Amino acid sequence: MSTAVPVAELLALPFLQRALLAGLLTGALGGVLGSFAVLRQLSFFSDALGHSALLGLSLGIVLGLDPTLVLIPFAVLFALGVHRLVRSSRLPADALLNIVYSSSLALAVLTLSRARGLQGGIERLLFGDILGVTSHDLQLILGLLVLAGSYLLLTRRSQILLTIDEPLAVSRGVDADRHRLAFVVLLAVVVAVSIKAVGVLLISAFVVIPACAARLACGRFGAYVALAAALGAGGAVLGLLLSAVFDLPSGPSVVLVQALGFLLVLALEAGRNALAG
Amino acid sequence: MVEMVLAVSDLSVRREGVTVVDDVSFELAPETDTALVGPNGAGKSSLLQALIGILPRRSGEVRVLGARLGPRGQLPAAIRQQVAYLPQTLALGGRFPVSVAEFVGLGWDPPGPSLPWTGGRARRSAVAAALAKTGCADLADRALSELSTGQLKRVLLSFCVVRPRRLLLLDEAQAGLDPLAAEQFHQLLYQLHRSEGWTILQVSHDLDMVRRTSDRVLCLNRSLRCSGSPDHALSAAELERVYGRDWVPYRHHHAPGPPA
């Protein structure tokens, strides 16, 4: 490991400022979407999407396009395709997702093996790169945050009902099909824009870990979502800072910080239960 | 002529290519309590779900309070608010972090997008009144996941009374309750049926309870086999037509009329 760089010096760097801001926003967004996704059994969906996104990225590289421009349409198509596949097939969703993501991953690796001069680049795609966040990406993330935030805020009652019990939600007049599709597309786009900083291998932790930690600690909806957002954003910022200071890959740093947060909540809850019982 | 709360004509429902409800027609008069009985797999839940658009119907027509149920299960919002459906149990009730008061509040709001700050005070007082009516006032701040089955059923009834409703569809409300809790639940339902002026259609396996409290019985085994007063529809001959020859009338003892 190389020597640590003073934090103040690092914070003056524009690329790190961008990365931290992007981490803060996508971390919060991942936490909020995750708080629904985890309970709707979409954890594996975000995992499969992350792995499949490597295909989108490698196609972008071969065609010489901006990865973000390729990733978002890829993620939307992936979400629509998988949604349709799962609905129309009698096979279990996790098995179908496994087929889709292994074949995408295989195709991606073959594509990359043909693209010359990318050997150093693959690691960045797999584990994330904080140098990769452009100001253009930042604008995109901000727009997405506003869009996702207002959608979830305006339809939160429908979202809660849908997550608790779908027939009950439909009986109250919630259009379950449309909301489910919209949510999956939104989740896919958020995963796609977060991939640059975290990498394709670990992106699903971004959605899953903060929400699970918050679920352990909270019995009320408002507190649950707020804590998931805070853990997501806090984990991302702290992880990216550590990665910059100690020159570590950014994705694993973020995920480890979030996992430590999860363990902390787990320990606190165990302690609280021991005291109460 | 009295306007029917629910009018079903020639309703058929298919599930995964199999006809589970075949050409069913019936009507529910205001403030009646009708039981839907039949063997397992007879299509009782499917019928109930098709009435409110949870399952698509293949053919036939459903009118709720005079409004036609659309092909994709659409109902005008004002009509939808007057109908409540109670599932057997909540698919994810135990795992979603929501308090009892928050959950009951979800039954108050009309569907569709809403701003977070709308309806705060009106919702709060409606929730408090609903919890009081169902004896759940002490549960308001508890997490939905901490409730016993009996408590959860009462909270589901609060979800129904949080707004004035006219039609209540219950899918085996007593499932999972021990005999005492089932009896208590039924007493509460009977009392609310009277005081709220509900029209009830409930799937039930407890023929004994049906005999005592229902005004009318519909016997379903894919198609409607018989309907009428409990005394007629639950006679030995009629039951054999619905359940088959091997049916044994377990727990059969006659109690005097419905509780006052």
Side-chain angles (χ1 to χ4, degrees), chain A residues 154 156-157 164-165 172 215, chain B residues 83 91-92 95 114 116 123:
Chain A
L154 289 174
R156 75 213 168 285
R157 295 181 180 281
I164 293 178
D165 191 80
R172 299 268 21 95
R215 178 62 195 97
Chain B
V83 184
L92 201 66
R95 277 180 281 169
S114 64
R123 185 189 306 106

Side-chain angles (χ1 to χ4, degrees), chain A residues 89-163:
Chain A
S89 172
R90 288 187 187 187
L91 292 168
D94 57 346
L96 288 171
L97 281 169
N98 190 305
I99 296 173
V100 172
Y101 101 70
S102 356
S103 26
S104 319
L105 200 56
L107 201 56
V109 173
L110 287 185
T111 310
L112 285 176
S113 73
R114 288 283 157 188
R116 258 170 259 155
L118 264 175
Q119 300 319 315
I122 291 180
E123 194 181 321
R124 271 189 280 148
L125 297 180
L126 295 181
F127 299 115
D129 178 14
I130 43 174
L131 291 168
V133 181
T134 63
S135 55
H136 188 69
D137 289 334
L138 211 51
Q139 286 164 5
L140 193 71
I141 291 170
L142 208 59
L144 196 61
L145 188 78
V146 172
L147 186 76
S150 33
Y151 169 68
L152 287 178
L153 204 62
L154 289 174
T155 64
R156 75 213 168 285
R157 295 181 180 281
S158 304
Q159 304 294 347
I160 298 172
L161 265 178
L162 262 181
T163 314

